[in-house]
Structures are given as C-alpha cells and as structure tokens.
Amino acid sequence: MQKINYKRATIITLSILTIIRLILSYFLGLDGGPAYYAMWSRHLELSYFDHPAMTAILVKISTLIFGWNSFAIKFPGIILFLGISIIMYKSIKLFSDDERKAFYATILFNFTPWIASSFGIKAVNPDIPFLFFFILAFYYFLKLYKTGNSNYWYIIGISTALGFTSKYKMIFIYPALFLCITFIKSLRVQWKSPALYISAIIGLCGTIPTIIWNINNNFASFEYHLIQRQSEFAFRPLQYIRFLLNQILIMGIFIPIILFKNVYKQRLNTIGKICIFFTLPALLTFSFVSLFYGQPMQNWWASVYMILFVLYGIKKDINKYDSAILYFTSTISIIGTIFYTYPFGVRLKETTNFLDHHLFDMASNHLKTIINQKQKENKQIFIGTPRYRTTAMLNVNMPSQIIYSMDYRKGDQFQMWHNPRELLGKDIIYIAGGSQAKQTPEKLFNAKSITLIDKQTYEYNPWFKRTFYFYEIKNYGGLK
C-alpha cells in the first residue's frame, strides 16, 4: 500500500478549501456581523465602537482592488484564515517530524464546524486578524524557546501591536508570556533580555489608535464592553453550563473533549505548559465573566482552541478514533456549508439569523424603488431600521445611502455616525426583516402615525423565504 505524503495532502487540502471559500464568497451575501464590519471600511477611523480598525483597513484595501462586492469584502479574511492554518502547521513542525500529526491537527481545525463557518465562510470579523497575529506571536515565541534567540522578541512585539489593532483580546498575550518566562526554567533568562522590554513597549503601541479614538468619543468602546454588555454581578452556574454545552456543540461535539484530554496528558511537559499558559488568560477570564457577569459569546475561546490544536498536532498520538473524528467533523462541516449556501430539507423560521445573508439584496432593491418614488414627490427621505444588523445588511447593498440604526438603548457604530435622535420630528421609512423582523415600529417608537406601506415576501428556494415590512413613520417622537 502506497504511503500517503501528508505534507502534500495538507497543501492540496488547504488549497482546495481556500478556492472553495473564495468561490462561495462571490455568490453568498453578508449577514449582520460581516456586513456591519464591511461598512466600517466606508468610513475609515482610528478605531470603532465595538473593535479596533484592522478589519476595516483590510476590507478597504481589498475593495479598492476588487471593487465593492462580497468577494472583495471576504477576501482578506479567507486569506488570513489560510495564513493561520499555515502558521499552525509550521508551529507543529517545530517540535514534531510527524507530517501525519500536523495534517490531522491543521485539517481538523479547518473542518471544525463553528471555525469553518465563522472564519472560512462568513470570513469578515475582527477575530480573524486577531487570531492571525496571536498565533504569529505564539509561533515566534516557540522559536525563541527552541533556539534561545532573543531577537524573536521584536517580531513578537510587532505581532502584538498589530493584534491590538484587530481586537482587545490581544491583551491576553501579556499574562501568557509572563507565565511562560516565570514558570518555565529555561525561559527565565529572558527576564535579562532588553529585547523583552522593547517588545512589550512595541506591542502596547498598537493600543494608541484605539485610545485616541476613545478619548475623542467619550470612551464609547470601553463603556460598551465594560458596562453595557455586562449584567449585574451574580452567580450564574446555569448560564456557564449552557455556555460549555454550546461550545461542545459548535465545535463538533468530540473536538473539545479530545483537545482538553490531550492538555491534561501533556500538562507536565514544557510544550504542554507553554500551550496551557497561552490559553489560561482567555479561558479563565471568560469563564469568570460567563459565570458572574455578561451573556457568553461563542467566539470567546477561539484563541484557546487554536493553541490547543497546535498542542494536539505536536503531542497527540493519532489513532483510528482521530480518523473517525476527522471524517465525522468534516461531514458535519460540509453539510452545514451546503445548508448555509442552499438551505434544504427543513423549512426554517424567517427570523433565523443563520440565514441572514440571503434575500437582503432583494429588499435593498425594493427600498431603492421606494426612495426613488419619494424623491419624485420632492420629499426628504430618512431611512431607519431596528438595529445595526438590519442597517448593515441593507446598507452593504446600497452603501451610499444613509440608514439609521434607531434603537439607541444599545449603541453601535452606525449611531456614532448618524445619531437617531436627529430623526425627532421627521418622517421616516422604516424597514424590518430578517432576524429582526419582529422589531415592528409600533413596539418601539412614539410617532404621530405609523403605517405599513408595503410588504414584500421573497423566496430563496422551496425551503426558505423571508418577508420584509416597509413602514412610514410620521413625526417620529423617539423610543417608547
């Protein structure tokens, strides 16, 4: 039986996956999050309400090259996801000559359902550049550990700075590095290296644009993340259990089990300790927040899983069960991707956000028709939606149009650009649809009158359709 060339198999598989993702990006629309981040690139700033500016910069460069379309918007994320996979493979190869292990870890990472969906298919969110720069810093730290070459600190510092321009979670690299060079004997000599301290300063420079933006915008980002998104302090064990069960489900059921089981087995060797130290800050912080404060988010442990896949590739002995898990996970991921692209077999609710990337282009075209008609009547046009998701999914299809995100009880970047309080006393065309279709204006707003002027139902295929509601609000009076 001919021996498999696993290095070649890795290259071929990653190439095929990347090509498929690029093809799908051309045909699939953008759902709420990706559309929201895409609109940032139309208004370049030092930072934004939710996150730093790296995602907007990358999308801006791509759309300048390829034009304003879903392919261009998703292109940077897809390429960076490929980069993450390559660095993961190279990290494993630093300490393992077994190409089979590197193949299994890297490809299993690519086929993990939530990772494949969020980073490979949706492909537009701040987690992708953050994860790229995080694993880049991790890779060069592994090289520093292996070679003792302190010059790698400079690359770690630059990676950290760029990570800070992607997402605030890059802060976790500092306690991770502290734990490594404090508790791993062979690394303690690095405390004497000037490059360590220069690297730390370089990394913190990446926070400067975000700090400047927040100073100029009343610290809106910090208030949002530290106050608005958090609940009152209380012990919430059921919430934490639901979070853990959700993690198991979205990661393909078996994958979290084998990753954490491998961590336990490798906890006493040095590579195991390094990987544990790189995961502990995020693991413990978000466990605490989920247990006592805010509503958990699916992406909180993304960097944890990424590092654990590296440890899986370095230390895990691959057996028939790993093969079975790869086949099972790949099958689930492929079926999920097909369903995301072309829903079939099960008729989902119109309000499911899983399929928000479908049919908003048609709603946007109809909205253009309404706007053109109003303009012929010489009427001033103001367009509003419930929240940022609907605003973004319409706006990405008509990027020159100002669209207000009207529910200002929770802020968003659209409201930083166009304050919905500016609409007081104005007449508004209001659109509800998709996952926010139930946010009807009668429930939300005071007004002289609210009239449903149109309702359009679009059918994507026999299994999925969606209705959009177009209202005219006269003399808008604010939130109820």
Side-chain angles (χ1 to χ4, degrees):
M1 187 175 180
Q2 187 175 4
K3 188 176 180 180
I4 297 174
N5 185 328
Y6 281 100
K7 181 177 181 179
R8 181 180 299 173
T10 304
I11 294 171
I12 293 173
T13 305
L14 290 179
S15 299
I16 291 172
L17 287 174
T18 302
I19 291 169
I20 290 173
R21 288 163 183 159
L22 289 171
I23 293 172
L24 288 177
S25 73
Y26 184 82
F27 295 101
L28 290 178
L30 302 165
D31 68 10
Y36 180 50
Y37 302 130
M39 288 307 300
W40 290 3
S41 70
R42 308 282 298 192
H43 311 266
L44 285 184
E45 300 183 24
L46 290 174
S47 188
Y48 296 90
F49 181 83
D50 312 66
H51 302 291
M54 181 61 74
T55 302
I57 294 170
L58 294 173
V59 172
K60 183 67 175 182
I61 294 171
S62 183
T63 53
L64 286 173
I65 297 171
F66 300 113
W68 184 258
N69 54 70
S70 60
F71 171 85
I73 291 167
K74 294 181 179 182
F75 181 81
I78 293 171
I79 298 303
L80 282 181
F81 188 51
L82 173 62
I84 291 168
S85 302
I86 293 171
I87 297 170
M88 177 178 289
Y89 184 88
K90 288 172 68 68
S91 298
I92 294 167
K93 290 295 295 171
L94 281 175
F95 297 96
S96 174
D97 294 326
D98 192 335
E99 299 282 359
R100 184 167 178 252
K101 290 182 179 181
F103 168 82
Y104 267 83
T106 306
I107 302 308
L108 190 58
F109 174 75
N110 272 261
F111 275 115
T112 299
W114 172 71
I115 291 173
S117 170
S118 296
F119 307 144
I121 304 300
K122 294 184 179 182
V124 189
N125 68 62
D127 276 297
I128 300 175
F130 155 68
L131 291 173
F132 176 82
F133 293 118
F134 192 89
I135 198 170
L136 186 64
F138 174 72
Y139 169 70
Y140 279 101
F141 185 76
L142 290 180
K143 294 194 75 171
L144 184 151
Y145 162 72
K146 186 175 182 179
T147 65
N149 186 349
S150 296
N151 288 327
Y152 286 125
W153 280 120
Y154 299 114
I155 304 177
I156 294 169
I158 294 169
S159 301
T160 301
L162 293 171
F164 270 124
T165 65
S166 305
K167 203 156 188 178
Y168 307 127
K169 287 193 292 186
M170 198 67 192
I171 191 67
F172 291 137
I173 201 165
Y174 283 97
L177 293 172
F178 173 83
L179 290 170
C180 287
I181 61 180
T182 300
F183 293 103
I184 296 175
K185 187 175 181 180
S186 62
L187 286 168
R188 289 174 189 163
V189 67
Q190 294 300 326
W191 284 115
K192 300 178 182 179
S193 171
L196 165 64
Y197 304 97
I198 296 172
S199 170
I201 294 170
I202 292 172
L204 289 173
C205 288
T207 66
I208 292 174
T210 298
I211 292 171
I212 292 173
W213 185 91
N214 273 278
I215 290 172
N216 293 331
N217 289 276
N218 300 314
F219 298 96
S221 298
F222 303 142
E223 181 182 353
Y224 170 67
H225 286 286
L226 299 177
I227 299 175
Q228 288 187 25
R229 291 185 66 178
Q230 309 307 324
S231 307
E232 292 184 4
F233 181 86
F235 184 51
R236 297 178 171 88
L238 292 179
Q239 175 174 276
Y240 187 60
I241 291 171
R242 286 195 297 269
F243 170 65
L244 294 179
L245 292 175
N246 179 258
Q247 291 294 302
I248 292 172
L249 183 63
I250 65 174
M251 291 293 292
I253 302 174
F254 300 106
I255 290 176
I257 297 172
I258 62 172
L259 291 180
F260 283 100
K261 183 180 178 181
N262 186 55
V263 169
Y264 181 77
K265 287 184 176 181
Q266 309 304 329
R267 69 192 186 281
L268 298 180
N269 66 65
T270 304
I271 295 300
K273 289 178 181 178
I274 290 174
C275 291
I276 289 171
F277 290 150
F278 264 80
T279 61
L280 272 182
L283 195 67
L284 296 180
T285 299
F286 290 126
S287 290
F288 178 81
V289 172
S290 177
L291 196 55
F292 295 103
Y293 283 100
Q295 185 68 27
M297 302 291 288
Q298 290 182 340
N299 62 341
W300 278 357
W301 284 358
S303 62
V304 173
Y305 295 124
M306 181 175 65
I307 300 303
L308 295 188
F309 270 109
V310 174
L311 182 60
Y312 173 88
I314 293 174
K315 291 294 184 179
K316 181 72 169 66
D317 293 325
I318 305 299
N319 55 42
K320 62 181 180 180
Y321 298 108
D322 294 277
S323 299
I325 289 171
L326 178 57
Y327 293 138
F328 172 79
T329 304
S330 302
T331 302
I332 295 298
S333 185
I334 291 169
I335 293 173
T337 300
I338 293 172
F339 192 84
Y340 182 80
T341 305
Y342 189 84
F344 64 93
V346 179
R347 183 176 289 277
L348 295 179
K349 291 182 179 179
E350 294 187 24
T351 53
T352 177
N353 60 15
F354 179 71
L355 296 174
D356 262 353
H357 55 290
H358 289 311
L359 301 175
F360 268 85
D361 55 338
M362 300 181 73
S364 300
N365 289 334
H366 187 68
L367 178 58
K368 293 175 186 177
T369 302
I370 294 175
I371 292 172
N372 290 336
Q373 181 60 41
K374 294 292 182 182
Q375 287 174 339
K376 290 179 181 178
E377 299 171 5
N378 293 320
K379 291 184 177 180
Q380 192 174 16
I381 308 298
F382 296 95
I383 309 297
T385 74
R387 289 279 284 120
Y388 76 94
R389 290 183 64 88
T390 307
T391 305
M393 288 182 286
L394 293 170
N395 218 169
V396 79
N397 291 293
M398 42 195 309
S400 298
Q401 177 67 48
I402 294 175
I403 302 179
Y404 288 82
S405 170
M406 294 179 64
D407 188 352
Y408 48 79
R409 288 171 295 188
K410 293 184 178 180
D412 59 55
Q413 185 59 48
F414 285 109
Q415 294 175 14
M416 300 293 293
W417 294 324
H418 310 295
N419 191 328
R421 292 178 176 85
E422 297 171 358
L423 297 175
L424 291 171
K426 304 289 197 304
D427 296 342
I428 304 163
I429 302 298
Y430 176 90
I431 305 94
S435 59
Q436 296 176 331
K438 295 181 180 179
Q439 299 295 311
T440 57
E442 296 92 343
K443 296 178 181 179
L444 296 174
F445 309 126
N446 295 305
K448 180 179 179 180
S449 66
I450 297 175
T451 307
L452 179 65
I453 58 173
D454 205 348
K455 182 174 76 170
Q456 294 289 319
T457 299
Y458 305 109
E459 189 173 276
Y460 185 74
N461 63 20
W463 291 280
F464 185 67
K465 65 180 181 179
R466 176 158 276 163
T467 302
F468 293 86
Y469 304 86
F470 300 82
Y471 296 86
E472 186 168 31
I473 301 175
K474 293 284 190 179
N475 193 10
Y476 169 66
L479 289 173
K480 287 187 175 179

